[in-house]
DNA sequence: GCCAACGTTGGC
DNA sequence: GCCAACGTTGGC
């Protein structure tokens, strides 16, 4: 069992959207960063647990928990010229971008704000709180995962 | 292969 | 809206 954190802007796709998706499941499309892609394509496994993080919003922070239900497969939105995430360098014969499917598990009892995560010495090594971090998909250690749940 | 210019992310 | 940090692009 592995743990992850995935960022999304709630204006684009928030925890509410995931909960309201068919079967409470959605594909995590639109990631256009190679490090994040590699994790989705090569490392994320069915059953892995995911912190759902809201970015670019009044109180950025962790809002809920999701689960990986389908492992990496090509992100078809890259093939669609009408899609805002279209990338002409990706084609179905040789896809450049990948995504996973995640299913809503639950909302946290409260938002755990970035501000609080940053101030917590137990989380000093977490990718999220390190300077200049821009990864939208990142690994979380089991110790970090457990600790964050105690903050809930 | 270097690196300046540019675009994006995302907190504040 | 600002801007620091960082990734990508493309000329050379």
């Amino acid at each position: 069992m592995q743990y992850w954190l995935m960022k999304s802007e709630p204006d684009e796709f928030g925890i509410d959207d995931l909960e309201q998706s068919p079967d409470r499941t959605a594909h995590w499309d639109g990631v256009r960063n190679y490090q994040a892609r590699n994790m989705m394509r090569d490392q994320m496994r069915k059953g892995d647990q995911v912190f759902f993080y809201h970015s670019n919003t009044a109180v950025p922070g962790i809002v809920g928990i999701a689960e990986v239900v389908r492992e990496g497969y090509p992100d078809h939105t890259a093939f669609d010229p009408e899609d805002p995430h279209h990338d002409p360098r990706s084609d179905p014969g040789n896809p450049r971008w990948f995504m996973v499917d995640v299913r809503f598990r639950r909302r946290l009892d409260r938002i755990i704000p970035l501000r609080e995560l940053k101030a917590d010495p137990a989380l000093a090594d977490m990718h999220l709180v390190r300077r200049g971090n821009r990864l939208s998909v990142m690994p979380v250690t089991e110790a970090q995962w457990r600790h964050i749940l105690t903050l809930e």
Side-chain angles (χ1 to χ4, degrees):
Chain A
M1 165 90 69
Q2 304 173 101
Y3 302 95
W4 307 92
L5 181 145
M6 300 177 93
K7 293 180 184 173
S8 188
E9 304 189 13
D11 286 350
E12 293 293 322
F13 188 84
I15 188 87
D16 293 342
D17 298 301
L18 181 59
E19 187 174 17
Q20 288 157 24
S21 295
D23 201 25
R24 294 177 152 194
T25 299
H27 50 256
W28 204 270
D29 63 270
V31 172
R32 298 292 180 264
N33 168 279
Y34 290 105
Q35 260 186 286
R37 175 206 66 182
N38 292 346
M39 286 186 273
M40 291 199 293
R41 188 188 59 185
D42 306 330
Q43 292 179 244
M44 296 181 87
R45 293 291 169 256
K46 214 169 159 179
D48 286 357
Q49 302 296 110
V50 177
F51 279 137
F52 198 116
Y53 177 92
H54 280 178
S55 65
N56 246 317
T57 187
V59 181
I62 297 171
V63 296
I65 295 176
E67 178 174 332
V68 176
V69 293
R70 181 174 175 187
E71 299 179 5
Y73 64 106
D75 179 346
H76 58 78
T77 66
F79 310 143
D80 178 3
E82 302 302 314
D83 193 280
H85 299 298
H86 177 233
D87 183 350
R89 299 166 303 178
S90 186
D91 71 84
N94 185 21
R96 176 176 299 224
W97 304 114
F98 286 72
M99 60 189 180
V100 297
D101 287 356
V102 300
R103 177 178 294 144
F104 177 91
R105 289 206 57 198
R106 67 178 181 90
R107 214 173 296 274
L108 298 189
D109 293 342
R110 66 180 186 103
I111 298 175
I112 302 179
L114 176 62
R115 171 189 300 269
E116 203 172 313
L117 300 170
K118 276 183 169 173
D120 193 326
L123 301 174
D125 291 334
M126 201 179 173
H127 284 259
L128 185 71
V129 305
R130 290 218 290 262
R131 189 169 133 277
N133 159 70
R134 286 173 52 186
L135 264 186
S136 62
V137 177
M138 68 184 76
V140 173
T141 68
E142 185 174 359
Q144 290 162 352
W145 180 273
R146 289 177 187 279
H147 181 77
I148 288 167
L149 289 179
T150 68
L151 305 176
E152 191 179 359

